[in-house]
């Protein structure tokens, strides 16, 4: 899909016929200036990003942020699994808090003095 030598030669031949030999050097010079300006702007943006991010700029894994690596199926699968994980974690936290409450109640009943009389309803048992 990229620009191969053959494609570049075809574009060059078409440009020679369309522009003519008189204007071709001028447009080639303008194209060179455009490429240099774009490269200079990209370098300036990169330098500015380095300045703004500080030392963290070198720690960033730029390959991880490459949009070509994203697979929509994997993203959807991870999002769905993440919802399930969150639900499981919430249920686990609820069970743990219930267990802690039960332990707290048991701890309260077990901390009574040895000779203390327990109060309960005899008719309910």
């Amino acid at each position: 899909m990229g620009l191969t030598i053959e494609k570049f030669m075809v574009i060059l031949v078409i440009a020679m016929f369309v522009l003519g030999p008189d204007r071709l050097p001028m447009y080639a010079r303008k194209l060179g200036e455009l490429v240099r300006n774009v490269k200079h702007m990209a370098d300036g943006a990169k330098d500015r990003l380095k300045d703004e991010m500080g030392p963290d700029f070198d720690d960033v894994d730029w390959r991880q942020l490459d949009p070509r690596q994203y697979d929509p199926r994997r993203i959807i699968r991870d999002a769905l699994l993440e919802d399930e994980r969150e639900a499981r974690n919430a249920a686990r936290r609820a069970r743990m808090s219930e267990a802690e409450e039960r332990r707290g109640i048991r701890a309260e009943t077990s901390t009574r003095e040895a000779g203390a009389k327990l109060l309960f309803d005899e008719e309910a048992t």
Side-chain angles (χ1 to χ4, degrees):
M1 271 302 248
L3 185 64
T4 61
I5 298 293
E6 294 85 20
K7 292 178 184 177
F8 184 72
M9 294 301 283
V10 169
I11 292 171
L12 186 63
V13 169
I14 291 172
M16 286 174 55
F17 281 114
V18 170
L19 298 175
D22 297 335
R23 292 185 290 173
L24 186 62
M26 178 183 64
Y27 283 108
R29 206 173 315 118
K30 285 184 179 183
L31 179 64
E33 289 173 5
L34 176 70
V35 169
R36 277 191 297 276
N37 287 338
V38 168
K39 184 179 182 314
H40 180 69
M41 287 171 42
D43 290 341
K46 185 177 178 182
D47 292 339
R48 184 173 176 192
L49 185 63
K50 275 185 178 181
D51 290 342
E52 289 181 8
M53 286 187 68
D56 294 337
F57 182 80
D58 296 328
D59 297 337
V60 175
D61 183 16
W62 295 107
R63 286 176 286 186
Q64 181 184 6
L65 301 174
D66 185 8
R68 293 174 289 185
Q69 72 171 345
Y70 293 117
D71 180 20
R73 293 170 293 191
R74 183 181 55 83
I75 292 170
I76 292 171
R77 182 183 65 236
D78 291 346
L80 293 174
L81 291 177
E82 183 178 331
D83 290 342
E84 288 180 16
R85 274 188 238 122
E86 288 176 6
R88 276 188 257 137
N89 289 338
R92 186 178 303 125
R93 282 192 297 271
R95 285 193 307 265
M96 290 176 72
S97 65
E98 289 174 7
E100 288 174 0
E101 287 177 14
R102 278 189 246 127
R103 280 190 222 122
I105 292 170
R106 287 183 189 150
E108 287 177 13
T109 57
S110 64
T111 57
R112 293 188 180 149
E113 295 178 15
K117 192 173 189 180
L118 294 176
L119 302 175
F120 60 93
D121 187 6
E122 293 179 3
E123 294 176 8
T125 56

